[in-house]
Amino acid sequence: MGYNPAFGCGSRGMVMIRAPWLVVVVYVLTILASPAATSADGETAPGRDAKQPVDEAYTAKIHKYTTQPFFTSPLVDYLPASKTVPTPETVLGDVAGAPGILPYAEDVYKYMRLLEKASPRVKVFSIGTTEEGREMIAVAVSSPENLKNLEENRARLAKLADPRTIKLDDAEADRLVSQAVPVYYITGTIHSPETGAPTALMELAYRLAVDESPYIREIRDGMITLITPVVEVDGRDRMVDIYRWHLSHPKDFYPPLIYWGKYVAHDNNRDAMGVTLKLTENVLTTYVGWKAQVLHDLHESVPYLYDNTAGDGPFNAWVDPILTDEWEMIGWRNVADMTKFGMPGVFTHGVFDTWSPGYLMFIAAMHNGISRLYETFGNGGADTRERTLDAEEYARTWYKQNPPLAKALWSQRDNNNYEETGLLTSLHYFNENKRLFLKNFYLKAKRSVTKPTAEGPAAYVLPADDPRLGSQAELLRVLQKQAVEISRATSAFTVTLPAKKPAKAGAKGNKDAKEQEAAPAPTTREFPAGSYVIRMDQPYSRIADALLDYQYWSPDDPQKTPYDDTGWTFGELFHVQVTRVTDPKVLDVAMEPVKEIRAPGGVSADGTIFAINNNAEPSLATLRYKMRDASIEAAEEPFEGGGKKFSRGSFLLRNVSRAQLNDAISDLGLQAIAVSAMPSVKTHPVRAARVALVHTWLSTQTEGWWRQALDHLGVPYDYISTQTVSKAADLNAKYDVILFPPVGFASSPTAIINGLPHEWGNPLPWKNTPETPNLVGKNDSTDDMRPGLGWDGVEHLQSFIEKGGVLLTATDTSRFALSIGLADGVSVGNAQRMKIVGSVLGTRLVDGASPIAYGFDEKLSAYCDNGPIFSLSSISGGRGFRRLGGEMHTRPTGRGTMDDPDFTVGRPSVEAPEEPKTEIWENPIPTDEQLHNNLRVIPPANRARVIFRYADSRELLVSGLVEGGDEIAQHPAVVDVPTGNGHVVLFSINPVYRGETRGTYSLVLNTILNFDSLNAGRKLAEK
Ligand SMILES: [Zn+2]
């Protein structure tokens, strides 16, 4: 999970090692394996049963590929033999974890289906497909009886999962607990360069199906093990391609895995909030559908097995403490079991904090189960390699009494041994204590149902009169994917909202003023019929609460390195109204369950011209491209028509068929009002701009979310790389708008221009060949990933903008654009103390007449992760420093009072001219002195135009962590810089991120739709 970009990266030549050292290894543990029986401690001893026949040839290979006798355990140092069930060797051609062997997902499935065919203890289920159409599966392994009674058992678990069905009756729950068979769900290789899980899980399935030792039999008879051996199927196949390429070019550098899934790489494990990716949806549906108790996700990074189930804190504030106790119980027991086997490097305390619910495993934590995650040690492929660790990795600490070796030969088999041993001991411990965990499963669900009267809130309400019904529907659909029940009020209702606590007086708080303040009173709010109600008396209230509530990460928290984002409040990021209601009476409101969320849209009234109000709904862009031939104009000022008020940027459509329009908007939540005449308001055309989306060959992680958003909205674009830009002399011939979304990893301006080092080494092709049939998929290709944008590319971008093109950048690409002089009058300051880690920040509208701001209000929340601090200057190349010597601008010590003019003895007093005062987000007005014969003064028409700025310091934090926020407070957040005949539009926020920021999408979409009218409504300074 910890992202190590070196995995699968060709920074060093990796040569396969098939070594004679293996011969000298002594297999103590095999010899010691005793006949399994109940030990003195009352527990079933792990290990082979004396009567268990062993597959000698397979076992010999396990030993051969295990590099040290202590890198295995009595659970996995032999393979049970079966006369009827095929071993993984049947498909792999060698044993699981053998050097040089990485199976494609298809081969893994083939094996699982062979198992199913040969054993009544295995069943394979198809659980959906990926973005590129590959299948995902879940494999159930249990006793034939359990598999025969799956439905009966599921019904029992469903009652425990939804205690309303048994009227919260604890006695009935106990009866169910005593009969139910729990489901333990294991997921492998969501992170494609972490390659070991599929073979480990093939062999695990075999062992669970075949082994007759009491230890394994108890697991098989007592519970259902559910396995998704490959989560990121598209990425797995690419990774296997790369590895095969490496095997056939053993002396060459091999290409880093730039694409995993169709859209994102490492972030596929940050999608459990937005559920934007198919893999998240498929695993979530499987987890919830099976009513599983555990979701155990397998990763690889640190040596040798880090069970990062139990985090370092702060824990997510919405999980049940019953769960945090379970983490500790299971995690430490797991360490204890493996410690007894003498396996070094097993630990459960580390850097993970458990705050964000974005991880795949957190699906369980947010749905009343148990989330678990392993980091084992992978080699980023199936080579056996000498691995040298950092001092902090091999140090012996209080939580790592038997640390990893400073240096060791490490094989994929070692990794598989650790994964399987960890899983088998986990399964066994879980089975031994399954009544406890099943009861906890019920209790967590029950406590979710009783949330309204316990900790609250009672409900969240999304009003029927929200101006952004399309975005509201999108947010509700996310909740539906999360298995949250949604209701709709059948009549209007009123709720009481708690009194707002007055802001705490500061250290020097004025006591008198405080006493004078009237005690704040509760208020009421009325909601119209049709408002959506998310009731908190439902089993999955926890996830709804976690997504819709606000987050606060204290700057004083002892945890100084948040593992991921610290804030995510979905109502804010979707720009949708969400009211947290604590008054339990809201649950008595007449309401009905909602199955399908539909944002009402359509045409009303009579006329041949159609007006659609602009509320910054992303679906306006969908409409523009859906009706490509329609003539659409945008109003530059607000107007009235058909008895309705329309805001700036509202669409006016002419010469379109009413039926066609009605059809196009009925699903988009857009309302068109027909009017008989064109309103008398200034307009400009809204054209279907030709868009390019530029990526680097350094990282595609962050821009992938932009592609996902545009695809989802139906906004077409050409997906091109910086290399394409470097070769395209006339970008204007093909494009009106170039989006250059954040690069993320390795995004320095020099890296973007230079690319990867290419003064040495071999070309790194990213293209489909017979050897690498899956690499390209639906993305991009190149003969050599190494070259970057180059200076030609810089020149082409410059000329594109000069000739009227629009370049849009965000976060690190904004830095890039400014550092190479693509825009003037904006500089980036260096943060001294500022720490904003994936937070939701307040921004404020500065220039509502700019088309980029169409449809937005005064306040807008946005995602920011230490965004660049923009400052403005009216002097070319100038930096936006405040002038020094502020004290000189006040009255000097002298005669009279502070308000009296100063005087000088011996001459008449001269009044100083009024100084021009500008705010932080405004262009400083050049002084007469600066204006004198100064070529560097930027003409008013070329100065930066700020669209949104960050809020003032005390209103900056909406959700998450903000420390030293005054450094960025009030600074521009979105700036439009007219350059030549074109524009550079710079974002300090990231407007398109993880499917969570729909509320800021329209800042990008407005730029696209109004690309040739961005100067509309602009007021120029006088000098
Ligand atoms: Zn990982």
Side-chain angles (χ1 to χ4, degrees):
M1 152 187 276
Y3 185 34
N4 180 352
F7 281 146
C9 155
S11 58
R12 271 172 295 161
M14 292 168 187
V15 181
M16 268 186 55
I17 305 163
R18 291 180 189 273
W21 35 260
L22 291 165
V23 180
V24 298
V25 174
V26 181
Y27 283 90
V28 185
L29 286 168
T30 317
I31 298 156
L32 293 181
S34 57
T38 306
S39 334
D41 59 11
E43 296 194 354
T44 308
R48 182 169 75 86
D49 187 277
K51 286 175 291 201
Q52 174 68 57
V54 167
D55 184 328
E56 298 294 348
Y58 196 107
T59 301
K61 282 185 178 166
I62 292 178
H63 293 183
K64 186 177 160 196
Y65 302 142
T66 300
T67 60
Q68 288 287 349
F70 41 77
F71 287 159
T72 186
S73 73
L75 287 168
V76 297
D77 67 351
Y78 71 96
L79 194 82
S82 164
K83 288 205 178 79
T84 50
V85 183
T87 72
E89 197 168 8
T90 317
V91 166
L92 298 174
D94 203 335
V95 308
I101 291 182
L102 281 191
Y104 285 113
E106 194 179 84
D107 299 323
V108 180
Y109 298 175
K110 190 172 152 197
Y111 176 68
M112 294 300 195
R113 289 192 160 115
L114 285 177
L115 269 186
E116 179 185 39
K117 224 172 153 188
S119 168
R121 295 164 173 175
V122 179
K123 266 191 160 170
V124 178
F125 300 84
S126 201
I127 61 166
T129 53
T130 66
E131 277 78 6
E132 296 188 354
R134 294 183 178 87
E135 187 190 19
M136 287 178 70
I137 65 165
V139 183
V141 191
S142 195
S143 69
E145 202 197 342
N146 288 340
L147 291 181
K148 208 171 69 209
N149 297 327
L150 274 185
E151 286 313 315
E152 262 178 81
N153 188 55
R154 193 200 313 269
R156 280 190 205 107
L157 293 176
K159 284 183 186 163
L160 293 173
D162 185 354
R164 295 172 303 182
T165 57
I166 54 168
K167 302 191 171 60
L168 313 189
D169 178 351
D170 291 352
E172 175 61 14
D174 283 335
R175 271 190 294 280
L176 291 161
V177 163
S178 68
Q179 296 162 355
V181 178
V183 179
Y184 194 111
Y185 189 15
I186 301 166
T187 47
T189 200
I190 183 173
H191 281 167
S192 306
E194 303 164 17
T195 49
T199 49
L201 293 174
M202 288 163 80
E203 195 176 279
L204 183 84
Y206 174 85
R207 290 178 187 282
L208 289 173
V210 163
D211 201 323
E212 295 300 339
S213 75
Y215 193 87
I216 303 295
R217 222 169 45 221
E218 284 170 16
I219 298 172
R220 183 166 62 235
D221 295 344
M223 58 198 290
I224 296 162
T225 306
L226 191 64
I227 300 168
T228 291
V230 184
V231 173
E232 175 57 275
V233 189
D234 299 333
R236 172 68 180 187
D237 286 1
R238 290 196 176 97
M239 182 64 204
V240 176
D241 275 8
I242 290 273
Y243 186 66
R244 280 156 48 113
W245 192 91
H246 156 63
L247 290 183
S248 57
H249 303 78
K251 294 209 168 88
D252 287 344
F253 295 112
Y254 54 90
L257 196 68
I258 184 112
Y259 295 100
W260 300 10
K262 182 180 176 191
Y263 293 120
V264 293
H266 185 262
D267 257 13
N268 60 9
N269 195 33
R270 300 294 185 276
D271 186 47
M273 288 194 263
V275 200
T276 305
L277 307 175
K278 297 288 281 179
L279 63 86
T280 318
E281 194 177 347
N282 293 339
V283 169
L284 199 160
T285 308
T286 306
Y287 179 82
V288 168
W290 280 74
K291 312 293 170 197
Q293 281 62 56
V294 184
L295 179 55
H296 192 151
D297 196 28
L298 300 179
H299 291 253
E300 291 164 25
S301 62
V302 294
Y304 295 125
L305 190 155
Y306 168 31
D307 179 348
N308 85 350
T309 302
D312 193 23
F315 289 171
N316 179 283
W318 291 265
V319 298
D320 197 310
I322 292 175
L323 169 63
T324 63
D325 294 339
E326 289 173 324
W327 285 339
E328 306 292 341
M329 288 163 68
I330 296 180
W332 284 104
R333 171 61 194 242
N334 208 172
V335 173
D337 278 339
M338 294 178 74
T339 299
K340 285 187 217 170
F341 293 145
M343 299 174 86
V346 179
F347 61 105
T348 191
H349 175 84
V351 294
F352 184 60
D353 58 47
T354 89
W355 174 249
S356 159
Y359 317 99
L360 188 81
M361 64 155 171
F362 239 71
I363 288 170
M366 289 286 122
H367 293 82
N368 304 324
I370 301 172
S371 51
R372 296 202 67 197
L373 193 146
Y374 277 173
E375 299 281 4
T376 57
F377 199 37
N379 283 349
D383 292 0
T384 302
R385 293 168 54 202
E386 189 95 78
R387 299 295 300 268
T388 308
L389 308 186
D390 293 339
E392 64 175 38
E393 288 177 313
Y394 62 76
R396 192 175 57 80
T397 63
W398 68 265
Y399 57 88
K400 218 192 273 181
Q401 286 290 332
N402 182 4
L405 278 64
K407 195 171 179 182
L409 193 69
W410 186 258
S411 67
Q412 169 149 271
R413 181 66 218 184
D414 297 331
N415 184 29
N416 280 192
N417 288 342
Y418 270 75
E419 286 171 313
E420 287 187 63
T421 301
L423 288 169
L424 286 170
T425 52
S426 292
L427 289 167
H428 195 264
Y429 172 69
F430 192 85
N431 183 56
E432 296 246 289
N433 298 280
K434 64 183 165 193
R435 304 296 163 216
L436 167 78
F437 290 121
L438 281 167
K439 185 67 186 282
N440 282 355
F441 178 65
Y442 162 74
L443 286 175
K444 285 179 281 183
K446 183 182 165 190
R447 283 153 65 114
S448 294
V449 172
T450 55
K451 184 186 270 282
T453 47
E455 76 270 24
Y460 286 89
V461 179
L462 284 75
D465 54 2
D466 192 303
R468 299 180 182 86
L469 293 177
S471 296
Q472 182 191 66
E474 286 288 327
L475 173 51
L476 291 167
R477 281 185 203 117
V478 172
L479 292 173
Q480 274 193 325
K481 283 190 198 169
Q482 295 276 8
V484 172
E485 295 167 6
I486 293 164
S487 307
R488 205 162 185 197
T490 48
S491 53
F493 63 98
T494 303
V495 298
T496 306
L497 299 175
K500 276 217 171 97
K501 261 191 152 178
K504 269 192 198 154
K508 294 175 223 155
N510 183 332
K511 215 177 169 196
D512 292 340
K514 212 171 152 194
E515 276 164 10
Q516 278 165 18
E517 270 173 33
T523 54
T524 59
R525 176 158 177 190
E526 196 181 327
F527 292 98
S531 293
Y532 290 100
V533 182
I534 321 292
R535 303 175 64 99
M536 291 290 110
D537 57 350
Q538 59 169 305
Y540 298 142
S541 62
R542 193 181 307 283
I543 179 65
D545 199 14
L547 293 181
L548 299 175
D549 206 346
Y550 287 77
Q551 292 77 43
Y552 177 69
W553 184 302
S554 166
D556 297 326
D557 195 285
Q559 175 66 270
K560 295 299 173 199
T561 51
Y563 202 83
D564 205 74
D565 289 343
T566 58
W568 50 80
T569 311
F570 267 43
E572 295 286 349
L573 289 179
F574 275 65
H575 204 196
V576 160
Q577 296 174 27
V578 175
T579 304
R580 184 178 192 263
V581 180
T582 50
D583 181 3
K585 276 197 243 113
V586 69
L587 300 173
D588 301 331
V589 167
M591 60 181 96
E592 55 193 17
V594 181
K595 284 233 161 58
E596 196 195 351
I597 304 289
R598 280 180 59 91
V603 184
S604 59
D606 291 322
T608 53
I609 291 157
F610 305 96
I612 300 176
N613 197 17
N614 193 331
N615 287 309
E617 284 262 56
S619 47
L620 284 168
T622 308
L623 174 66
R624 169 63 284 185
Y625 285 94
K626 215 170 175 181
M627 299 186 72
R628 265 201 113 106
D629 300 327
S631 146
I632 303 181
E633 281 164 79
E636 294 189 1
E637 290 301 327
F639 65 91
E640 285 186 32
K644 302 255 179 194
K645 285 187 172 157
F646 291 85
S647 61
R648 272 197 200 101
S650 290
F651 276 17
L652 289 158
L653 291 87
R654 274 191 279 207
N655 307 325
V656 297
S657 119
R658 183 188 179 102
Q660 203 195 347
L661 177 63
N662 193 64
D663 219 40
I665 61 177
S666 63
D667 276 340
L668 298 177
L670 296 174
Q671 306 276 357
I673 313 289
V675 291
S676 47
M678 209 45 190
S680 56
V681 63
K682 194 176 175 211
T683 65
H684 64 249
V686 177
R687 290 188 241 273
R690 302 163 304 160
V691 179
L693 192 149
V694 176
H695 72 92
T696 64
W697 287 101
L698 302 167
S699 167
T700 63
Q701 168 64 45
T702 315
E703 56 88 0
W705 293 115
W706 289 54
R707 276 183 283 133
Q708 189 280 330
L710 294 178
D711 287 353
H712 183 69
L713 290 166
V715 174
Y717 58 92
D718 277 3
Y719 185 51
I720 62 174
S721 77
T722 46
Q723 294 178 358
T724 313
V725 173
S726 76
K727 285 176 206 131
D730 188 3
L731 288 163
N732 306 73
K734 290 180 89 170
Y735 306 115
D736 303 308
V737 178
I738 294 179
L739 306 177
F740 195 0
V743 173
F745 173 71
S747 63
S748 73
T750 42
I752 290 172
I753 293 170
N754 294 338
L756 294 164
H758 44 283
E759 294 75 23
W760 57 85
N762 51 280
L764 300 175
W766 187 274
K767 57 182 191 181
N768 284 355
T769 64
E771 216 165 40
T772 56
N774 306 290
L775 266 199
V776 178
K778 291 175 181 167
N779 292 315
D780 201 359
S781 65
T782 178
D783 289 331
D784 188 1
M785 290 170 68
R786 298 174 302 163
L789 179 66
W791 295 104
D792 284 350
V794 171
E795 204 182 309
H796 296 159
L797 282 179
Q798 215 152 23
S799 134
F800 169 75
I801 301 159
E802 285 293 327
K803 287 196 235 152
V806 175
L807 174 70
L808 186 152
T809 59
T811 68
D812 55 19
T813 53
S814 293
R815 261 177 216 282
F816 164 76
L818 292 171
S819 68
I820 59 164
L822 289 180
D824 207 357
V826 183
S827 62
V828 180
N830 289 323
Q832 306 297 318
R833 294 162 291 113
M834 185 178 84
K835 189 169 167 188
I836 297 169
V837 186
S839 302
V840 185
L841 260 51
T843 70
R844 298 291 177 265
L845 182 66
V846 174
D847 192 338
S850 162
I852 298 170
Y854 282 166
F856 285 100
D857 317 311
E858 292 297 316
K859 292 183 174 184
L860 177 66
S861 293
Y863 174 84
C864 174
D865 184 39
N866 269 342
I869 304 170
F870 295 150
S871 291
L872 302 186
S873 172
S874 303
I875 313 291
S876 176
R879 301 186 63 87
F881 292 130
R882 313 295 287 168
R883 272 172 292 169
L884 295 173
E887 70 279 6
M888 293 303 168
H889 299 268
T890 59
R891 224 213 81 153
T893 305
R895 70 150 287 277
T897 67
M898 196 176 79
D899 300 323
D900 288 329
D902 188 32
F903 86 145
T904 306
V905 174
R907 72 162 215 232
S909 143
V910 181
E911 189 104 23
E914 189 94 342
E915 277 197 30
K917 183 174 160 28
T918 49
E919 303 284 357
I920 286 178
W921 62 87
E922 291 174 335
N923 282 299
I925 300 166
T927 62
D928 290 340
E929 292 295 315
Q930 284 174 324
L931 286 167
H932 176 70
N933 187 34
N934 193 348
L935 185 65
R936 290 183 182 276
V937 174
I938 303 172
N942 290 79
R943 285 182 206 161
R945 182 184 192 186
V946 175
I947 318 300
F948 274 90
R949 66 168 174 92
Y950 286 106
D952 301 354
S953 244
R954 62 192 172 79
E955 291 180 328
L956 191 60
L957 173 65
V958 175
S959 256
L961 167 67
V962 169
E963 195 176 352
D966 52 315
E967 293 188 54
I968 202 168
Q970 300 190 330
H971 282 261
V974 183
V975 200
D976 168 16
V977 187
T979 305
N981 292 314
H983 293 257
V984 179
V985 180
L986 305 155
F987 285 72
S988 167
I989 59 167
N990 184 354
V992 185
Y993 180 71
R994 290 183 178 172
E996 297 171 7
T997 61
R998 191 180 163 94
T1000 46
Y1001 283 5
S1002 284
L1003 293 168
V1004 175
L1005 300 169
N1006 281 343
T1007 306
I1008 293 174
L1009 296 180
N1010 301 283
F1011 73 96
D1012 54 354
S1013 302
L1014 288 181
N1015 283 334
R1018 177 148 199 202
K1019 285 192 197 74
L1020 296 181
E1022 281 162 21
K1023 58 182 187 183

